[in-house]
């Protein structure tokens, strides 16, 4: 009977284990492809103490346990050590040919700015859930990004590692609970998008129509406030989408002006992401009148503006091109700034408290339309269809906020009408 091999401390070594003359332990194994590999450690078990100058690492038998389990489950441990997060992202983007250009640009931008600098170079087998959670914390607390951007980063990271799980490169997805745990430890206060009050809405639109500087875009703002369309949908509106006889606007696409994968900015047409985005919006009389006023304007005699085969757009600037979303945003900021300056001067002269306009965006105008509809008790399923909400919960949230004040008014109106004490 052959004598069992032992280490320098007299401990019996298992199959595949050995100890070098310098005291370092080795474990040799054959992977699923027949290739031989070796792992090393100064410690046989985790309780072994290191000598001075020896580098700490996982104990050899802890490595063995993981390696043998991975071999039994056909997990490609070596691939996890040689595949980086950058590699996963490149593979993911190559596979996802179905992604729209806008989504590809968004993924590339978030990955390049926030994910790559932190874990891009790391082997995927060494990325820990806590490291991913820390990445989200850095994004929100240090980089100052919106929590929704951190959530988009989580979606990207989760998909990358899930692909590695499906390919048996790693056993579990380290991003599985990272964002959930991050939410527990972080105070996520997304920007509150409050709709305009009825008074603020009147002040806003009246000021635009009375302004020499901004009234050229008044028709666009009437359409935004009177239809609840997303800004890209309104800018992409064509005359053939407006049925004046039936009083219907057909929403089938949006017009975007964004950076492409080549780094250049350009206009492009984007179809709605969900079936709910394809919809018909009835025209208010004021919306119809605004569109007809826009049609009556003298149009530019410059070259016809065409984007991806689409032309005959409703809202064109002096150069015969559609306004960009950033231009509309800047215009809204200019309107509120100018109004608030004038209101300050008037209030000072009239010795009263000023009635300022809050910060406004195109999305807030959409939210304002939805709120006005809720206040008029419109059928919730009808409103969901008009807004193009995929999930009725989104519509319900607006309903709940809109009726918050009305609930108090309704209850207080009953004060004293029946005996309770």
């Amino acid at each position: 009977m052959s004598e069992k091999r032992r280490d320098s401390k007299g401990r019996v070594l298992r199959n595949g284990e050995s100890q070098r003359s310098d005291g370092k332990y080795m474990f040799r194994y054959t992977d699923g492809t027949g290739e031989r590999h070796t792992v090393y450690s100064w410690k046989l078990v985790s309780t072994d103490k290191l000598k001075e100058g020896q580098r700490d690492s996982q104990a050899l038998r802890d490595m063995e346990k993981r390696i043998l389990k991975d071999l039994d489950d056909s997990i490609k441990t070596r691939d996890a050590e040689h595949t980086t997060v950058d590699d996963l992202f490149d593979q993911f983007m190559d596979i996802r040919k179905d992604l729209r250009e806008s989504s590809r640009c968004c993924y590339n931008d978030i990955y390049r700015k926030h994910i790559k600098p932190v874990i891009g170079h790391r082997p995927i087998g060494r990325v820990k859930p806590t490291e991913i959670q820390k990445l989200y914390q850095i994004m929100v607390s240090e980089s100052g990004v919106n929590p929704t951007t951190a959530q988009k980063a989580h979606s990207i990271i989760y998909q990358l590692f899930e692909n590695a799980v499906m390919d048996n490169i790693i056993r579990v997805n380290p991003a599985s609970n990272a964002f959930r745990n991050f939410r527990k430890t972080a105070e996520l206060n997304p920007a509150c998008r409050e709709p305009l009050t009825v008074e603020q809405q009147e002040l806003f639109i009246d000021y635009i129509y009375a302004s020499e500087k901004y009234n050229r875009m008044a028709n666009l703002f009437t359409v935004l406030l009177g239809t609840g369309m997303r800004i890209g949908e309104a800018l992409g509106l064509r005359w053939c989408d407006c049925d004046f006889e039936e009083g219907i606007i057909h929403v089938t696409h949006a017009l975007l002006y964004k950076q492409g994968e080549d780094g250049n900015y350009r206009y492009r047409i984007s179809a709605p992401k969900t079936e709910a985005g394809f919809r018909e919006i009835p025209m208010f009389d004021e919306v119809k009148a605004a569109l007809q006023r826009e049609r009556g304007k003298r149009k530019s005699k410059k070259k016809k503006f065409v984007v991806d085969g689409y032309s005959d757009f409703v809202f064109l600037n002096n150069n015969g091109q559609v306004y960009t979303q950033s231009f509309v945003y800047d215009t809204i900021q200019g309107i509120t700034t100018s109004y608030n300056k004038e209101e300050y001067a008037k209030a000072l002269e009239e010795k009263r408290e000023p009635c300022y306009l809050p910060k406004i965006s195109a999305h807030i105008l959409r939210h304002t339309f939805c709120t006005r509809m809720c206040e008029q008790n419109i059928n919730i399923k009808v409103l969901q269809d008009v807004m193009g909400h995929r999930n009725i919960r989104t519509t319900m949230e607006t309903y709940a906020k809109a009726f918050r004040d009305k609930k108090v008014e309704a209850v207080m109106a009953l004060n004293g009408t029946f005996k309770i004490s």
Side-chain angles (χ1 to χ4, degrees):
M1 184 174 180
S2 60
E3 186 178 348
K4 294 183 178 180
R5 292 178 302 109
R6 299 176 182 269
D7 69 357
S8 58
K9 296 181 180 181
R11 295 175 293 193
V12 175
L13 297 175
R14 300 171 181 171
N15 289 337
E17 294 178 346
S18 62
Q19 186 179 29
R20 301 190 316 194
S21 58
D22 61 359
K24 199 167 197 176
Y25 292 97
M26 302 186 303
F27 175 69
R28 290 194 175 97
Y29 68 96
T30 304
D31 66 17
T33 65
E35 188 177 349
R36 295 280 290 171
H37 303 286
T38 307
V39 292
Y40 304 88
S41 177
W42 288 110
K43 298 187 295 185
L44 181 64
V45 294
S46 59
T47 55
D48 285 352
K49 293 183 179 180
L50 295 172
K51 294 180 180 179
E52 187 177 350
Q54 292 179 343
R55 187 175 179 181
D56 194 13
S57 65
Q58 189 178 24
L60 191 76
R61 285 187 175 166
D62 289 339
M63 293 184 193
E64 289 178 46
K65 185 177 179 180
R66 175 179 57 83
I67 290 169
L68 293 174
K69 185 171 177 55
D70 286 348
L71 288 174
D72 285 343
D73 295 339
S74 300
I75 303 296
K76 304 168 186 174
T77 308
R78 293 289 295 179
D79 287 356
E81 291 295 320
H82 293 89
T83 303
T84 66
V85 179
D86 283 341
D87 295 332
L88 277 188
F89 182 73
D90 291 340
Q91 293 167 12
F92 172 77
M93 294 302 287
D94 187 54
I95 293 170
R96 291 298 304 273
K97 302 296 186 184
D98 60 308
L99 288 175
R100 301 170 186 233
E101 186 178 7
S102 57
S103 297
R104 298 184 71 86
C105 291
C106 179
Y107 279 33
N108 278 313
D109 188 55
I110 291 175
Y111 186 84
R112 178 177 52 82
K113 287 182 180 177
H114 304 292
I115 303 172
K116 182 179 177 67
V118 181
I119 60 172
H121 64 288
R122 297 289 305 282
I124 61 174
R126 298 184 186 180
V127 178
K128 301 176 181 177
T130 52
E131 291 178 290
I132 299 175
Q133 184 177 333
K134 180 66 176 177
L135 186 153
Y136 304 147
Q137 291 173 338
I138 292 172
M139 287 181 66
V140 174
S141 61
E142 297 181 19
S143 301
V145 304
N146 192 293
T148 56
T149 304
Q151 195 159 12
K152 289 177 182 176
H154 169 68
S155 174
I156 295 169
I157 294 172
Y158 179 84
Q159 291 180 78
L160 300 186
F161 283 101
E162 196 63 18
N163 283 347
V165 171
M166 288 192 297
D167 287 341
N168 286 337
I169 299 176
I170 55 177
R171 184 180 300 280
V172 295
N173 187 334
S176 290
N177 297 310
F179 195 79
R180 184 186 306 168
N181 293 337
F182 164 65
R183 291 183 67 91
K184 293 178 182 177
T185 60
E187 293 184 7
L188 300 182
N189 296 313
C192 187
R193 294 174 173 175
E194 289 293 332
L196 300 180
T197 64
V198 172
E199 181 185 13
Q200 289 170 341
Q201 182 174 341
E202 290 176 356
L203 292 173
F204 176 74
I205 199 67
D206 286 347
Y207 183 78
I208 295 172
Y209 272 93
S211 169
E212 291 185 11
K213 182 177 181 180
Y214 297 113
N215 65 5
R216 64 190 175 92
M217 295 185 66
N219 296 327
L220 171 61
F221 288 115
T222 290
V223 169
L224 289 171
L225 280 168
T227 64
M229 282 196 288
R230 300 175 177 89
I231 182 60
E233 294 169 344
L235 294 178
L237 192 64
R238 301 170 299 162
W239 291 115
C240 61
D241 300 320
C242 305
D243 186 338
F244 289 104
E245 289 187 10
E246 296 293 330
I248 295 291
I249 292 175
H250 301 274
V251 181
T252 62
H253 61 278
L255 181 67
L256 308 176
Y257 183 77
K258 288 189 174 183
Q259 189 176 28
E261 288 191 274
D262 58 2
N264 296 320
Y265 283 82
R266 69 175 183 85
Y267 289 96
R268 61 174 175 269
I269 296 295
S270 175
K273 291 184 178 180
T274 66
E275 283 300 316
F278 293 92
R279 61 197 191 279
E280 296 178 347
I281 302 176
M283 291 186 202
F284 286 133
D285 290 343
E286 290 173 274
V287 170
K288 184 183 292 187
L291 289 170
Q292 289 172 336
R293 285 195 300 271
E294 194 67 23
R295 196 172 212 173
K297 289 181 178 180
R298 177 187 293 180
K299 298 300 178 182
S300 172
K301 294 182 180 180
K302 296 183 182 238
K303 185 179 178 180
K304 191 175 185 180
F305 185 66
V306 180
V307 179
D308 297 338
Y310 286 64
S311 62
D312 205 25
F313 296 99
V314 173
F315 298 108
L316 302 174
N317 60 24
N318 292 334
N319 295 321
Q321 295 184 325
V322 175
Y323 300 110
T324 64
Q325 294 183 16
S326 61
F327 178 81
V328 175
Y329 175 83
D330 291 341
T331 300
I332 294 174
Q333 305 320 302
I335 291 168
T336 55
T337 299
S338 298
Y339 170 83
N340 288 340
K341 283 182 179 178
E342 293 180 22
E343 173 62 11
Y344 171 79
K346 285 181 182 178
L348 196 63
E349 183 180 345
E350 298 170 5
K351 297 180 181 180
R352 59 173 174 82
E353 285 296 316
C355 185
Y356 294 129
L357 287 175
K359 187 174 182 179
I360 302 172
S361 66
H363 184 82
I364 286 177
L365 300 183
R366 169 174 162 81
H367 191 30
T368 297
F369 168 82
C370 189
T371 302
R372 294 293 92 85
M373 297 300 100
C374 291
E375 292 168 349
Q376 298 303 313
N377 293 315
I378 188 173
N379 181 283
I380 192 167
K381 289 297 292 182
V382 172
L383 182 56
Q384 179 191 6
D385 182 74
V386 169
M387 296 299 296
H389 289 156
R390 177 176 58 179
N391 195 320
I392 198 168
R393 283 181 297 181
T394 306
T395 320
M396 287 295 294
E397 286 173 5
T398 305
Y399 251 95
K401 291 178 181 177
F403 280 104
R404 186 171 49 204
D405 295 333
K406 285 187 171 290
K407 176 177 65 176
V408 175
E409 293 176 11
V411 172
M412 292 310 295
L414 300 175
N415 190 28
T417 60
F418 51 85
K419 187 175 178 63
I420 57 175
S421 66

